[in-house]
Amino acid sequence: MEVVALSLTAETESIDSEKWLFDYKLQEYKDCIPNLISRRQFNDRRKKTAGLCEELRKRVAMEMDGGEEQFFVDSKPIEVCRVARGKRCKMGRTGDFSQAPDFGFCASQNTYYFGYKLHALCWLCGVIHSYDLSKASAADLHYMKDVKHAYHDCSIYGDKGYIGADVQLDLFETAHIRLECPYRLNQKDWKPTFIPFAKARKRIETIFSQLTDQFLAIRNYAKIKNGLFARIIGKISALTILQYVNFINNKPIGRIKYALN
């Protein structure tokens, strides 16, 4: 629990460098933490307690559950290294090769990258309900195959990357899930985007912006995939904790910097 607490505290303070955390920041509180472990021990135990951190995040998120039946889904690129160094990257080259990073294309940024893709499903209130990591080359619709086993009788709203008549029909017939997406301009029976839907979808885009800006998800110092996965779990868990602090204090959940005051 102390390892998880230290990990979440570092993420909320935008500290993503373990070297700076132990060599400088924690030295100011050395007298208050007499049993402080070493940086190597923290790094090893952080990976081993990633599952515990995720279980705590789920419990906290369920405390903010308002019984909603509307969800938003989106994906975000998680870059491991520059594209030029992608073929030389050793992350994921040993063990289960299916979890190795890959080359992908981000349509919103119109750029190629090497790494993973973070898929997230959030409530209307702006709290992440579930998430997963996949190869960067995986299509967004592949994530919906896992969603139908965990959700039912709800509506999920996505962007144009989730358009697929076969997948939408399968979700509805299997779990009564309505997957709503805006039309493409060249689609038959084109209809304009419903304005309240477009505004509501900004919630999950705001969450991804917070993960990038305050929690520095765009940076990567991990050398192995387990270290990267533990970091992503820590960042999303820290975001959920700050949202819960605002929730119990009757403050806007999305304004996570209020929780730091």
Side-chain angles (χ1 to χ4, degrees):
M1 294 300 295
E2 293 178 354
V3 172
V4 172
L6 180 58
S7 174
L8 295 180
T9 303
E11 294 295 350
T12 56
E13 294 291 336
S14 303
I15 302 175
D16 61 341
S17 174
E18 293 177 0
K19 178 176 175 58
W20 189 85
L21 174 64
F22 278 85
D23 291 352
Y24 299 99
K25 189 65 175 179
L26 289 179
Q27 296 302 319
E28 303 175 6
Y29 306 95
K30 193 173 182 179
D31 297 335
C32 302
I33 314 176
N35 298 322
L36 181 64
I37 59 179
S38 65
R39 174 188 167 192
R40 181 193 61 79
Q41 291 174 320
F42 173 75
N43 194 9
D44 292 340
R45 296 177 187 179
R46 186 183 191 183
K47 300 186 185 73
K48 294 180 180 179
T49 56
L52 173 61
C53 185
E54 172 61 14
E55 288 297 325
L56 293 174
R57 187 203 68 82
K58 289 181 179 179
R59 292 186 182 183
V60 172
M62 292 306 297
E63 291 292 330
M64 295 180 282
D65 180 16
E68 301 175 7
E69 297 180 354
Q70 288 80 29
F71 298 90
F72 297 97
V73 62
D74 205 351
S75 63
K76 171 182 174 56
I78 302 296
E79 190 177 26
V80 170
C81 64
R82 297 296 182 182
V83 175
R85 297 180 58 241
K87 294 184 178 180
R88 293 179 289 155
C89 180
K90 296 182 180 180
M91 179 180 292
R93 300 300 181 184
T94 59
D96 189 0
F97 187 73
S98 62
Q99 297 182 355
D102 199 2
F103 292 94
F105 179 76
C106 179
S108 61
Q109 300 177 7
N110 194 25
T111 182
Y112 289 91
Y113 70 98
F114 181 79
Y116 296 92
K117 184 180 291 186
L118 173 64
H119 306 270
L121 200 71
C122 81
W123 281 305
L124 185 63
C125 64
V127 178
I128 294 180
H129 189 273
S130 62
Y131 61 94
D132 197 4
L133 281 172
S134 69
K135 288 190 174 186
S137 57
D140 292 342
L141 276 175
H142 288 179
Y143 176 63
M144 304 308 298
K145 297 179 180 179
D146 299 331
V147 168
K148 68 180 181 181
H149 299 294
Y151 298 87
H152 59 86
D153 300 314
C154 62
S155 299
I156 300 179
Y157 304 94
D159 57 14
K160 296 178 182 179
Y162 295 89
I163 296 177
D166 296 338
V167 176
Q168 289 175 307
L169 180 61
D170 180 57
L171 288 172
F172 186 77
E173 293 180 346
T174 304
H176 296 282
I177 297 176
R178 295 184 59 186
L179 178 60
E180 303 286 347
C181 305
Y183 286 82
R184 290 194 177 101
L185 293 178
N186 58 353
Q187 271 189 278
K188 295 181 180 179
D189 301 326
W190 178 86
K191 296 179 181 178
T193 304
F194 188 47
I195 300 300
F197 158 73
K199 291 183 178 180
R201 270 208 75 255
K202 291 183 179 181
R203 295 184 184 276
I204 192 168
E205 296 175 356
T206 300
I207 291 176
F208 284 154
S209 297
Q210 291 171 338
L211 287 174
T212 300
D213 297 336
Q214 182 168 343
F215 297 94
L216 307 177
I218 197 172
R219 297 185 186 179
N220 173 48
Y221 297 121
K223 298 296 186 290
I224 60 176
K225 62 179 184 299
N226 290 341
L228 177 63
F229 295 166
R231 284 175 175 266
I232 296 299
I233 292 174
K235 295 178 188 299
I236 296 179
S237 300
L239 170 64
T240 307
I241 292 295
L242 293 182
Q243 290 175 332
Y244 180 69
V245 172
N246 285 335
F247 175 76
I248 61 179
N249 291 323
N250 297 321
K251 295 181 178 180
I253 292 180
R255 301 182 181 182
I256 55 178
K257 291 187 177 180
Y258 284 10
L260 298 176
N261 296 331

